[in-house]
């Protein structure tokens, strides 16, 4: 008795097509370029050594003219064979023969010649490293990068290679964290945090990434600080702000925050008196959290009419009406709005063209969303440092760009005075 098979029947031609799907995708242009890459690179290295010795291969060294300098005739030395090197580039992996030479030094000894084009122990071109890192930043993990680039690199890129390339980014990351901010013309800050899952002591743990975006005098947004912390406590935010001050950041003229109590206490300790705008989107969520779902639509309508009124006078009138109405209808909603106080309407002290950008922390929220989209395939990141570095690299590599603030005005002599009247 035979058991039924669940394997679908396919004609032999269809099976062969499925097994050899890309076998007929031969590109003579790519093949020709890769065949020529080896001889081009070897000619480049030979030419580099010829320039150092000031003579071609098998050519005797020219005699120095009377009164001439040694530099005019090249460095004294001799070739002694070649060294095999494996190099991975966008052209794939190739084996090349790099010329060797011994050069005479000023102390009468000799030293091995080193190519300035091909660094010692270099196994990949910078373009290949950039491509590997960019693929990783696009939102995939190390194993999937290997599969994605298998056709381009001929299977020469493994997950360990991706990890090594990523570690090279760490040096730039550390330099960015230590850079001086004294010359940055920052007039506005946007501060917010987000929670990510990372692996700590072999266990998945939630940490907070605290993000600070600065707005320059010309309205361009720029990432200033990015720290991984255990939470959004006063101490955590105070450490971030103190670091900015230590690196020379001048006192900002305007701050936009999400309303977390820890952040507001830290700001009061470092920059007391700076105008602070509470994010109106976060406050809207808080209002809805204090009311049953059947009231959400009505609360949203009243809140939107108030926040998006055309003038400060209209906003104030509708604010009073909102509080009167909801103190009777559902008091927790009115109390929640009053909790924010005037900080919910600080944006009215700016030019109306900037109200849209100054009302919320959306500039950071968009970064958070894009970051989460890129890491969703990994679920849990390898470490807390990796999470912060990955967030930074998405902007540093150009994978994510930040544009200027909408409606920014740069006509005033002093941009800070133009942004906000501090005496208002």
């Amino acid at each position: 008795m035979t058991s039924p098979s669940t394997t679908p029947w396919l004609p032999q031609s269809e099976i062969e097509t499925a097994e050899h799907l890309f076998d007929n995708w031969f590109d003579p242009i790519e093949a020709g370029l890769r065949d020529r890459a080896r001889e081009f690179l070897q000619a480049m290295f030979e030419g580099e050594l010829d320039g150092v010795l000031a003579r071609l291969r098998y050519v005797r060294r020219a005699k120095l003219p009377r009164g001439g300098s040694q530099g005019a005739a090249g460095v004294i030395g001799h070739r002694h064979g070649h060294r095999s090197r494996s190099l991975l580039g966008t052209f794939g992996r190739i084996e090349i023969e790099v010329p060797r030479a011994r050069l005479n030094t000023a102390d009468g000894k000799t030293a091995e010649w080193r190519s300035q084009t091909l660094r010692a122990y270099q196994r990949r071109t910078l373009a290949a490293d950039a491509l590997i890192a960019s693929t990783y930043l696009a939102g995939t993990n190390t194993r999937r990068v290997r599969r994605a680039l298998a056709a381009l690199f001929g299977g020469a890129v493994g997950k360990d290679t991706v990890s090594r390339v990523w570690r090279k980014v760490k040096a730039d990351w550390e330099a960015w964290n230590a850079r001086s901010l004294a010359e940055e013309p920052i007039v506005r800050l946007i501060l917010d945090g987000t929670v990510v899952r990372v692996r700590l002591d072999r266990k998945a743990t939630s940490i907070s990434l605290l993000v600070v975006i600065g707005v320059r005098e010309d309205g361009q947004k720029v990432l200033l600080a990015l720290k991984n912390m255990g939470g959004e406590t006063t101490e955590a935010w105070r450490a971030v702000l103190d670091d900015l001050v230590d690196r020379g950041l001048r006192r900002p003229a305007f701050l936009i925050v999400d309303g977390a109590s820890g952040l507001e206490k830290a700001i009061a300790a470092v920059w007391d008196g700076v105008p602070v705008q509470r994010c109106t989107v976060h406050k809207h969520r808080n209002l809805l959290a204090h009311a049953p779902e059947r009231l959400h639509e009505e609360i949203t309508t009243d809140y939107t009419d108030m926040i998006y009124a055309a003038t400060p006078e209209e906003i104030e009138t509708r604010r009073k009406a909102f509080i009167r109405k909801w103190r009777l209808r559902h008091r927790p909603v009115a109390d929640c709005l009053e909790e924010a106080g005037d900080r919910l309407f600080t944006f009215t002290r700016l030019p109306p063209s900037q109200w849209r950008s100054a009302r919320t922390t959306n500039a950071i929220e968009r970064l958070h969303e894009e970051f989460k989209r890129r890491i969703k395939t990994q679920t849990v990141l390898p470490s807390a440092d990796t999470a912060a570095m990955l967030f930074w690299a998405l902007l540093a590599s150009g994978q994510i760009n930040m544009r200027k603030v909408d409606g920014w005005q740069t006509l005033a002599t002093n941009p800070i005075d133009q942004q906000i009247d501090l005496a208002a």
Side-chain angles (χ1 to χ4, degrees), residues 156-176:
V157 174
K159 66 182 184 66
D160 292 336
T161 301
V162 180
S163 297
R164 284 194 296 271
V165 171
W166 184 244
R167 285 195 293 271
K168 289 178 61 177
V169 180
K170 188 175 181 180
D172 292 336
W173 157 250
E174 292 174 348
W176 180 84

Side-chain angles (χ1 to χ4, degrees), residues 104-121:
N104 295 351
T105 60
D107 57 3
K109 298 180 180 180
T110 62
E112 184 74 15
W113 171 73
R114 299 292 184 185
S115 170
Q116 298 300 311
T117 305
L118 183 65
R119 302 186 308 276
Y121 307 109

Side-chain angles (χ1 to χ4, degrees), residues 43-63:
M44 182 170 62
F45 298 136
E46 293 284 358
E48 183 182 0
L49 181 55
D50 290 343
V52 172
L53 298 175
R55 67 181 188 272
L56 300 176
R57 195 176 181 185
Y58 305 120
V59 175
R60 292 180 180 274
R61 180 172 178 269
K63 293 183 179 180

Side-chain angles (χ1 to χ4, degrees), residues 291-312:
E293 188 173 354
R294 65 182 181 82
L295 298 177
H296 285 188
E297 184 176 353
E298 188 176 356
I299 293 172
T300 298
T301 300
D302 293 346
Y303 183 77
T304 301
D305 290 343
M306 172 183 61
I307 293 296
Y308 292 95
T311 65

Side-chain angles (χ1 to χ4, degrees), residues 240-395:
V240 174
L241 300 185
D242 286 343
D243 177 66
L244 291 174
V245 174
D246 291 343
R247 288 191 283 134
L249 182 69
R250 69 189 187 188
R251 182 183 175 93
F254 194 81
L255 300 171
I256 306 174
V257 302
D258 61 355
S261 60
L263 173 56
E264 297 209 6
K265 291 177 182 178
I267 289 173
V270 179
W271 291 314
D272 188 29
V274 174
V276 176
Q277 167 64 42
R278 287 276 296 270
C279 177
T280 57
V281 172
H282 283 80
K283 177 51 68 175
H284 179 219
R285 296 171 188 162
N286 294 341
L287 293 175
L288 298 183
H290 283 79
E293 188 173 354
R294 65 182 181 82
L295 298 177
H296 285 188
E297 184 176 353
E298 188 176 356
I299 293 172
T300 298
T301 300
D302 293 346
Y303 183 77
T304 301
D305 290 343
M306 172 183 61
I307 293 296
Y308 292 95
T311 65
E313 292 75 21
E314 289 183 24
I315 291 176
E316 182 60 25
T317 299
R318 295 180 186 183
R319 174 189 182 184
K320 293 177 180 178
F322 185 99
I323 293 174
R324 283 196 304 269
K325 173 181 177 179
W326 290 102
R327 186 173 287 144
L328 297 175
R329 292 285 308 278
H330 194 67
R331 189 179 183 86
V333 174
D335 293 342
C336 181
L337 182 70
E338 289 185 305
E339 177 273 331
D342 292 337
R343 289 192 167 192
L344 193 63
F345 308 96
T346 312
F347 68 88
T348 59
R349 297 160 66 176
L350 296 173
S353 61
Q354 296 180 28
W355 285 8
R356 179 182 177 184
S357 63
R359 274 191 290 249
T360 70
T361 58
N362 281 355
I364 290 184
E365 294 291 342
R366 293 189 190 100
L367 294 183
H368 293 338
E369 292 174 4
E370 186 64 19
F371 175 63
K372 297 290 182 65
R373 185 181 72 82
R374 301 299 181 97
I375 66 173
K376 66 181 179 182
T377 60
Q378 302 184 56
T379 309
V380 179
L381 295 173
S383 68
D385 289 338
T386 298
M389 190 166 61
L390 180 58
F391 193 113
W392 163 80
L394 289 171
L395 284 97

Side-chain angles (χ1 to χ4, degrees), residues 52-54 61-62 64-65 67-77 103-106:
V52 172
L53 298 175
R61 180 172 178 269
L64 287 174
S69 63
Q70 178 176 310
V75 179
I76 299 175
L103 306 180
N104 295 351
T105 60

